[in-house]
Amino acid sequence: MQSLLLVCTANICRSPMAESVFKAQATLLGLGRVASAGVRASSRAQGMDARAITALGRRKYPVDKKWRSRRVEAEDYLRFDHILAMDQDNLDALRRQCPTEQQHKLRLLLDLVPGRQGQEVPDPYFGSPVGFENVLDLIELAARSWSAARAGAR
């Protein structure tokens, strides 16, 4: 079983949404461990953005009420097999922190999706609830692509 860390900026919108989606499908996706973190998450743990919770709820994804944000830690580069960033800024921050021998683990989330390599998952924080739905669409697309890539590797 593979392990996956999903990373955004503050770890309150995109990456926890992705964590919920990938956790819901973990067995199908061959994932033993799924977590999320932020490159600039507050030192004070926060709950997930209410708009993210609402978007996940509309699609029947479970949300752990005790879930709290956290910052990417040095141990994460060793602990996880794959580390997927939501945007280029997050990926650049990870590359600056990540030991050279672990750099191969770093990619953008949408690099999983054929034809979307190099594209970003936009930050919905300062927008409307529709932005959270759009982010969820992209996350689900990436999860389906992970599953397809896994099936092709068998």
Side-chain angles (χ1 to χ4, degrees), residues 96-147:
R96 286 190 297 274
Q97 299 171 2
C98 184
T100 304
E101 63 276 7
Q102 303 300 324
Q103 292 273 328
H104 66 279
K105 298 177 178 183
L106 306 176
R107 296 191 290 178
L108 290 171
L109 177 70
L110 292 181
D111 285 351
L112 300 172
V113 181
R116 297 265 184 149
Q117 295 88 352
Q119 293 182 16
E120 300 180 337
V121 176
D123 190 344
Y125 186 76
F126 293 106
S128 72
V130 171
F132 288 81
E133 296 293 336
N134 293 336
V135 164
L136 200 45
D137 290 341
L138 293 171
I139 292 167
E140 289 176 332
L141 181 61
R144 285 192 301 274
S145 294
W146 179 287
S147 182

Side-chain angles (χ1 to χ4, degrees), residues 40-148:
R40 288 187 271 292
S42 173
S43 58
R44 285 187 169 162
Q46 299 177 312
M48 194 183 310
D49 186 287
R51 297 166 294 175
I53 293 170
T54 299
L56 288 165
R58 270 200 273 283
R59 298 192 197 184
K60 308 293 187 234
Y61 289 106
V63 176
D64 180 357
K65 303 277 188 221
K66 294 180 183 179
W67 182 92
R68 292 293 175 259
S69 64
R70 72 175 187 88
R71 190 172 291 177
V72 175
E73 302 169 347
E75 299 81 31
D76 289 332
Y77 298 107
L78 299 172
R79 199 177 313 167
F80 291 93
D81 299 311
H82 305 277
I83 302 172
L84 303 179
M86 297 296 141
D87 62 38
Q88 191 62 50
D89 184 52
N90 302 148
L91 184 58
D92 292 344
L94 290 169
R95 285 183 175 145
R96 286 190 297 274
Q97 299 171 2
C98 184
T100 304
E101 63 276 7
Q102 303 300 324
Q103 292 273 328
H104 66 279
K105 298 177 178 183
L106 306 176
R107 296 191 290 178
L108 290 171
L109 177 70
L110 292 181
D111 285 351
L112 300 172
V113 181
R116 297 265 184 149
Q117 295 88 352
Q119 293 182 16
E120 300 180 337
V121 176
D123 190 344
Y125 186 76
F126 293 106
S128 72
V130 171
F132 288 81
E133 296 293 336
N134 293 336
V135 164
L136 200 45
D137 290 341
L138 293 171
I139 292 167
E140 289 176 332
L141 181 61
R144 285 192 301 274
S145 294
W146 179 287
S147 182

Side-chain angles (χ1 to χ4, degrees), residues 19-41:
E19 178 182 348
S20 293
V21 170
F22 277 80
K23 274 186 173 176
Q25 302 173 39
T27 303
L28 172 70
L29 300 177
L31 294 168
R33 180 173 184 190
V34 178
S36 64
V39 293
R40 288 187 271 292

